[in-house]
Amino acid sequence: MEIQGEYLIAGPRERVWDALNDVDILRECIPGCESLERVSDSELQAVVMAAIGPVKARFNTKITLENLRPPESYTMVGESKGGAAGFGRGTATVTLTESVDSTELHYSADFRVGGKLAQVGSRLVLGATRKIADDFFGSFSRKLDAGAVRVEVHGGAGRQPAPASRTWLAIGAALLVLLIWWFLLR
Amino acid sequence: MAENGIGVAVRRKEDRRFITGAGRYTDDINRPDQLYAYILRSPLAHARINAIETAAALAAPGVVAVFTGADMAADGVGGLPCGWGVANKDGSPMVEPTHPCMVVDRVRYVGDQVATVLARTRAAAKDAAELIEVDYEELPSVTDIHSATADDAPLVWDEAPGNVCYDWAIGDARAVDAAFEKADRVVSIDVVNNRLIPNAMEPRAAIGEYDEATGDYTLYTTSQNPHVIRLLMGAYVLGIPEHKLRVVAPDVGGGFGSKIFHYAEEAIVTWAAKRVGRPVKWTADRSESFISDAHGRDHVSHAELALSDEGDFLALRVRTRANLGAYLSTFAPSVPTYLYATLLAGTYKTPAIYAEVKSVFTNTVPVDAYRGAGRPEASYLLERLVDKAARVTGIGPIELRRRNFIDPDSFPYQTPVALEYDTGDYDACLAKALEIADYAGFDRRRKESAERGKLRGIGIATYIEACGIAPSNVAGALGARAGLYEVGTIRVNPTGSVTVLTGSHSHGQGHETTFAQLVTEALGVDIDNVDVVHGDTAKIPFGMGTYGSRSLAVGGMALMAALDKVKAKSKKIAAHLLEASDEDIEFKDGKLTVAGTDRSVSFGEVALAAYVPHNYPLDILEPGLEETAFYDPKNFTFPAGCHIAEVEIDPDTGVTEVLNFVAADDFGRIVNPMIVEGQVHGGVVQGIGQALYEQCVYDPESGQLLTGSMMDYCMPKADNVPRLEVATNTTLCTHNALGVKGAGEAGAIGATPAVINAVVDALSGIGVDDVPIPATPERVWQAIRQAAA
């Protein structure tokens, strides 16, 4: 499954980049996150309780950050295992572009789910992922006390109309979250 | 006719326990000190296993043991055997890969067995399984027939180039080619037979037990054929001789073929029970059923029909590719070959037929027999093709069929594809169905629908099936690795009640009633004094089980043969008691009478004399009254019929509603019309399900099963089905004394093509000449839109 999206985040690019790399902020903003730790400069490990449709499980997720080009872009490669609930695996690329008074975050991810998650939840994964991303950005924006506007999110199945613009603080963390999620979800 | 004898709609004796919740299914059985098994299954479609780390699982609370394929291999456990070999066109054998109960180093479908955890509770076993670390190295996978046969397709088995299991053919290719050259017209069609997931109401379950004192094993399992499981598991997998292995298949909640096969879990629990010295129980949950019960159908075919200008069928040429899944399930190779292509004559006198079948391996759940097993695939293809020919030639669906039906006076009829039909009257079934469906009034109803903006269609399908499988010598010549007779025992108890022991297994068919009716008819014993026992190798002498609509035609005939022996012996006993010659004894209505006199004894008195032989011809007759018979049928039986579906389509939504459904079937003699009607209802609903709703979907890239629950796999529901009109037109089977043919699968065979023909008929007026199956609202809507564009 492919999904991509853009968020407009108030604040300079460096600040967004830093927040995206702040493990404490991420941990508090990722829905269901039970733990998130930095294993090395380029590796994160997370445990997230997640539910997609009827599948609810604790997902152990490993994320490796690659092609780090602060504060412009990076790639996340992730794998998430939910035991009997199945697994997810994917790659996401996050790009931050400077804009007037704000930062434009663009992400594009390609991920797969397997096991029970595919058998009973595959229809729901894309929608659930989007919701989780939105939840994350909501929390994230409140956390940073700033505003972000989601410009557009669309998946591989076709363009989804952008929802009424809401104020969110979004960060590449979006990506992270998404990634974690997808991986989790898987 | 006896009060509750043959032909009477006796209420099912077994239903009291079923509807009061008193049935005893495998999962209802609990053995002292039992452990619960959880099977860890592959989450990947295809992968190499580099390592399996089980230490953490073994240390988890409540866990007693964790086993992998390596443990079974180290114990010398064999693979699951395949019960039917099919040869390639050149006579070489099919590719027959190993089928381990648990994999050793490679998984080949999502659901493949990887490890087994035994724990004190089911939950503990399941939790511990999460702690098993499997190091998978994912490999490219292939799940559908097109991809599997592509040039660069990933290989499921290294020993099967092109993923081909076998490339088989039947019929006279040269005669067919010659007929096509002379044909006035050729009509061709491409059809898919959609892959189905069986979904019996009761998920599979198994309990293994080992008695160290005696060395006896017991397996309780959800099986349609416990003796076959004993044979396969005992001889090929675990190396347990028959006398040390008891297999019990208690009440079973539906099978539809999916519980014929010998599954890995049966061997795992039996083997593990000895390893740990405690009974081991495994019960599938519904999700597990989706990825571990053998699936059904899954064909892609191209067929061509050569016709004369007058509409005579001259020849049929069929090319089919069938998906067998990742491993060969017990009877998988026979389904797309001998149970399919031999039925391509259908009800028609097509003089030349040639069919090629290439069966392929894919990274999917193994595919095997499912209600109808090959015959629904044949009927679907043929009846879609005939309907298309009727439309293209303008001859019309009734006239074209009538023109080509095998005449009632030309039986026995040898088809060009191996079978010899014994009897039938296809036009009589067609005529009956047309009448009940009020075919003549259809145009009026179509107009009325059109006034409401709806598209109405009517579809006809005839079918024939080969049931009562099978004459053992014929089946053996075709590759079957077992005999296909049946066994029955009539045990007359001292007080005159009767215990019937049958190798047939009842999992919804109502044998406890139907077989009791045979006894009542033959011996005059009250039906309440007849008990039918089945499903236990310790109680039943032998048996081959229930599938292919064979229970009555083969199992019932074994009972008839045993009843004949009982009657003959009873006459001898009565002759002694009445001081007459046994040739003069008449056995009727439970009384044995000296012909032409009023001197008689009751059957109860005869039974008592047999067991208390104080006044008994001990010099010429053994005491006791119990007889066993093995019955091997002389031919298949050939139920046939005509189904008519009438549908209405909403062009705005693509939703198809089945408004009327008529089944006019020839099942030979009917023992219990109520049970037969119920069988037809169930089969028709399954056929409608295949036509409109059910579709197994794998993700082509990842090989993941996407329809792994009833949220995504759409089963037909009560509100999808109209009132079903069921009628019969009987011609008697000529080669069994009962004249019976079998009724278990017919509904699922005739209904699918009838419904799709009706959908195509409804859409033909707006330029649609084909719809994909299942004809879901989205697909119908798309077809309508494309035609309009």
Side-chain angles (χ1 to χ4, degrees):
Chain A
M1 274 172 254
E2 287 175 24
I3 185 169
Q4 47 188 301
E6 285 171 2
Y7 287 83
L8 201 58
I9 303 159
R13 185 160 71 168
E14 284 72 15
R15 192 181 160 211
V16 174
W17 177 272
D18 289 345
L20 267 179
N21 284 283
D22 185 328
V23 170
D24 292 333
I25 292 178
L26 296 179
R27 186 187 304 123
E28 287 169 38
C29 296
I30 296 170
C33 184
E34 296 182 351
S35 71
L36 176 66
E37 281 156 29
R38 189 177 285 281
V39 183
S40 72
D41 280 354
S42 62
E43 286 175 305
L44 298 173
Q45 190 141 11
V47 177
V48 177
M49 194 71 180
I52 295 194
V55 182
K56 187 179 183 192
R58 184 169 281 117
F59 289 88
N60 290 302
T61 302
K62 275 186 201 164
I63 292 175
T64 308
L65 305 178
E66 296 175 354
N67 307 324
L68 285 160
R69 296 204 333 226
E72 284 172 23
S73 66
Y74 63 101
T75 300
M76 292 187 281
V77 179
E79 177 160 19
S80 188
K81 291 179 181 171
F87 67 89
R89 204 180 284 165
T91 308
T93 299
V94 182
T95 313
L96 300 180
T97 316
E98 286 188 306
S99 183
V100 188
D101 296 336
S102 62
T103 302
E104 209 173 274
L105 179 150
H106 175 267
Y107 70 87
S108 99
D110 185 4
F111 63 100
R112 283 174 40 195
V113 296
K116 188 169 279 187
L117 209 44
Q119 287 147 31
V120 309
S122 56
R123 272 186 308 143
L124 312 171
V125 168
L126 218 52
T129 302
R130 199 167 288 126
K131 179 177 186 312
I132 289 160
D134 287 353
D135 288 350
F136 170 79
F137 287 120
S139 304
F140 199 76
S141 73
R142 281 192 294 279
K143 180 72 52 191
L144 296 193
D145 194 24
V149 177
R150 185 167 78 166
V151 178
E152 189 179 280
V153 179
H154 52 86
R159 223 161 242 267
Q160 311 281 330
S165 57
R166 283 172 250 170
T167 306
W168 288 324
L169 201 250
I171 290 217
L175 249 200
L176 220 210
V177 168
L178 286 171
L179 275 181
I180 291 178
W181 254 100
W182 304 337
F183 310 153
L184 299 177
L185 295 177
R186 285 110 177 280
Chain B
M1 186 189 286
E3 188 190 350
N4 289 310
I6 292 173
V8 181
V10 179
R11 288 217 182 182
R12 304 204 324 168
K13 286 161 65 85
E14 49 269 77
D15 280 351
R16 173 174 286 275
R17 73 174 188 276
F18 294 148
I19 64 178
T20 56
R24 188 166 177 261
Y25 298 87
T26 302
D27 192 52
D28 293 325
I29 297 169
N30 291 295
R31 305 298 300 158
D33 209 25
Q34 74 189 8
L35 297 174
Y36 294 86
Y38 178 79
I39 313 269
L40 181 69
R41 298 179 183 280
S42 172
L44 298 175
H46 197 189
R48 194 166 288 120
I49 294 180
N50 293 322
I52 304 177
E53 183 49 66
T54 60
L58 195 54
V63 173
V64 172
V66 181
F67 294 120
T68 65
D71 296 313
M72 292 192 94
D75 257 10
V77 173
L80 300 171
C82 179
W84 201 302
V86 167
N88 290 302
K89 287 172 189 161
D90 63 8
S92 60
M94 66 182 185
V95 177
E96 193 170 349
T98 56
H99 189 176
C101 298
M102 285 192 279
V103 300
V104 176
D105 55 10
R106 196 157 150 192
V107 290
R108 289 185 164 83
Y109 66 96
V110 173
D112 213 348
Q113 301 83 220
V114 174
T116 301
V117 181
L118 305 186
R120 280 193 279 278
T121 66
R122 199 167 281 155
K126 199 169 180 176
D127 284 349
E130 301 227 343
L131 302 174
I132 297 174
E133 287 283 330
V134 184
D135 178 3
Y136 291 110
E137 182 185 333
E138 192 165 3
L139 300 169
S141 62
V142 64
T143 54
D144 68 279
I145 290 170
H146 288 298
S147 313
T149 49
D151 285 344
D152 54 350
L155 290 187
V156 181
W157 293 96
D158 301 336
E159 61 262 48
N163 289 312
V164 175
C165 175
Y166 54 75
D167 186 2
W168 172 92
I170 191 170
D172 187 338
R174 231 172 281 165
V176 167
D177 290 346
F180 268 86
E181 271 170 37
K182 280 187 251 156
D184 296 319
R185 335 191 44 135
V186 172
V187 177
S188 68
I189 195 167
D190 288 288
V191 297
V192 168
N193 205 284
N194 42 327
R195 184 180 180 112
L196 303 177
I197 303 177
N199 276 302
M201 193 179 289
E202 180 205 17
R204 289 190 297 115
I207 305 170
E209 195 169 359
Y210 177 68
D211 184 336
E212 205 173 354
T214 60
D216 290 345
Y217 294 83
T218 303
L219 169 68
Y220 301 87
T221 182
T222 47
S223 175
Q224 302 178 207
N225 29 239
H227 285 87
V228 173
I229 302 303
R230 185 181 66 166
L231 174 73
L232 296 175
M233 187 176 85
Y236 295 94
V237 187
L238 298 181
I240 306 169
E242 279 99 335
H243 68 293
K244 288 295 180 192
L245 174 58
R246 174 186 177 198
V247 178
V248 184
D251 284 333
V252 173
F256 313 113
S258 73
K259 291 172 183 165
I260 297 171
F261 323 119
H262 177 32
Y263 286 97
E265 296 85 0
E266 295 168 323
I268 292 172
V269 297
T270 308
W271 169 80
K274 184 182 182 188
R275 280 287 295 251
V276 299
R278 293 168 70 171
V280 174
K281 178 174 186 172
W282 167 81
T283 306
D285 60 25
R286 180 61 62 184
S287 299
E288 205 171 1
S289 301
F290 273 86
I291 54 168
S292 69
D293 291 4
H295 291 177
R297 317 277 193 256
D298 206 348
H299 286 196
V300 174
S301 299
H302 176 77
E304 302 159 279
L305 181 65
L307 299 104
S308 70
D309 276 334
E310 294 74 34
D312 294 321
F313 298 167
L314 304 177
L316 174 67
R317 191 189 280 139
V318 176
R319 200 171 65 238
T320 291
R321 286 174 295 162
N323 189 343
L324 298 179
Y327 300 90
L328 292 179
S329 176
T330 311
F331 291 114
S334 67
V335 177
T337 51
Y338 294 107
L339 299 179
Y340 162 71
T342 53
L343 274 304
L344 286 170
T347 54
Y348 309 110
K349 53 193 175 196
T350 315
I353 298 175
Y354 180 68
E356 293 177 307
V357 180
K358 189 185 274 188
S359 289
V360 300
F361 295 109
T362 60
N363 295 109
T364 63
V365 173
V367 180
D368 207 328
Y370 172 63
R371 203 169 192 171
R375 292 151 287 166
E377 293 91 317
S379 286
Y380 182 71
L381 177 135
L382 191 58
E383 291 300 304
R384 289 292 317 281
L385 180 58
V386 169
D387 232 47
K388 186 170 179 182
R391 216 169 30 252
V392 171
T393 60
I395 295 174
I398 298 169
E399 177 52 30
L400 186 66
R401 285 184 171 87
R402 282 195 163 137
R403 186 169 190 93
N404 289 284
F405 277 151
I406 298 160
D407 300 322
D409 55 7
S410 56
F411 293 101
Y413 175 80
Q414 175 65 52
T415 74
V417 276
L419 298 175
E420 187 187 275
Y421 301 165
D422 64 335
T423 176
D425 187 345
Y426 311 130
D427 192 32
C429 285
L430 173 65
K432 197 162 218 170
L434 290 173
E435 184 199 327
I436 299 169
D438 184 22
Y439 196 87
F442 174 71
D443 279 342
R444 178 178 45 77
R445 298 194 293 278
R446 194 200 291 259
K447 283 197 193 91
E448 179 209 291
S449 291
E451 283 162 16
R452 289 184 284 110
K454 302 289 176 65
L455 302 166
R456 200 175 186 113
I458 193 162
I460 298 172
T462 67
Y463 72 88
I464 190 161
E465 51 169 333
C467 291
I469 182 169
S472 293
N473 53 356
V474 174
L478 301 180
R481 295 166 178 171
L484 287 163
Y485 46 83
E486 195 47 86
V487 186
T489 296
I490 299 295
R491 176 177 295 160
V492 181
N493 300 307
T495 55
S497 67
V498 176
T499 303
V500 176
L501 309 174
T502 174
S504 299
H505 186 277
S506 186
H507 35 279
Q509 293 87 346
H511 295 169
E512 291 171 40
T513 306
T514 303
F515 288 166
Q517 288 180 257
L518 299 182
V519 175
T520 296
E521 180 80 26
L523 303 180
V525 177
D526 189 293
I527 198 161
D528 291 332
N529 286 329
V530 183
D531 251 10
V532 176
V533 178
H534 62 89
D536 187 342
T537 61
K539 295 179 181 168
I540 314 298
F542 205 74
M544 295 309 295
T546 289
Y547 36 82
S549 304
R550 71 193 299 271
S551 292
L552 189 57
V554 190
M557 282 305 302
L559 293 177
M560 292 302 287
L563 283 164
D564 283 346
K565 293 186 193 178
V566 167
K567 280 159 77 174
K569 185 169 179 181
S570 298
K571 283 183 183 176
K572 287 183 183 162
I573 299 169
H576 174 86
L577 295 175
L578 296 168
E579 297 175 334
S581 158
D582 54 311
E583 286 143 30
D584 294 334
I585 302 292
E586 287 175 350
F587 193 153
K588 199 169 169 244
D589 298 334
K591 269 166 83 172
L592 295 99
T593 308
V594 182
T597 74
D598 59 358
R599 287 193 301 132
S600 67
V601 288
S602 70
F603 178 64
E605 289 172 281
V606 167
L608 191 63
Y611 287 94
V612 187
H614 296 166
N615 175 19
Y616 193 85
L618 285 167
D619 49 339
I620 57 162
L621 218 52
E622 294 171 24
L625 194 51
E626 172 171 331
E627 298 290 350
T628 293
F630 283 57
Y631 174 80
D632 203 290
K634 295 182 189 69
N635 190 358
F636 296 88
T637 60
F638 297 97
C642 177
H643 290 192
I644 297 181
E646 192 165 323
V647 303
E648 191 176 76
I649 294 170
D650 182 339
D652 294 332
T653 62
V655 170
T656 299
E657 187 185 353
V658 183
L659 299 177
N660 298 307
F661 195 97
V662 178
D665 301 296
D666 179 355
F667 297 135
R669 175 165 286 123
I670 289 170
V671 174
N672 186 320
M674 184 191 68
I675 287 177
V676 166
E677 192 173 346
Q679 286 272 30
V680 175
H681 285 181
V684 165
V685 173
Q686 275 173 303
I688 291 174
Q690 173 167 22
L692 298 180
Y693 308 109
E694 298 185 46
Q695 170 75 318
C696 170
V697 179
Y698 278 93
D699 179 49
E701 274 179 44
S702 65
Q704 294 290 330
L705 176 65
L706 298 181
T707 51
S709 80
M710 289 188 191
M711 292 191 306
D712 296 284
Y713 186 86
C714 183
M715 302 287 287
K717 297 161 207 66
D719 66 342
N720 301 136
V721 180
R723 182 184 159 77
L724 306 173
E725 301 288 343
V726 177
T728 54
N729 181 81
T730 299
T731 63
L732 296 178
C733 173
T734 59
H735 59 80
N736 66 48
L738 280 168
V740 298
K741 297 183 179 180
E745 298 160 294
I749 297 172
T752 309
V755 170
I756 295 293
N757 282 344
V759 171
V760 172
D761 181 56
L763 301 177
S764 61
I766 56 169
V768 176
D769 69 349
D770 195 14
V771 289
I773 181 172
T776 58
E778 183 200 1
R779 287 165 157 188
V780 170
W781 189 87
Q782 296 279 10
I784 294 171
R785 287 298 169 280
Q786 275 165 21

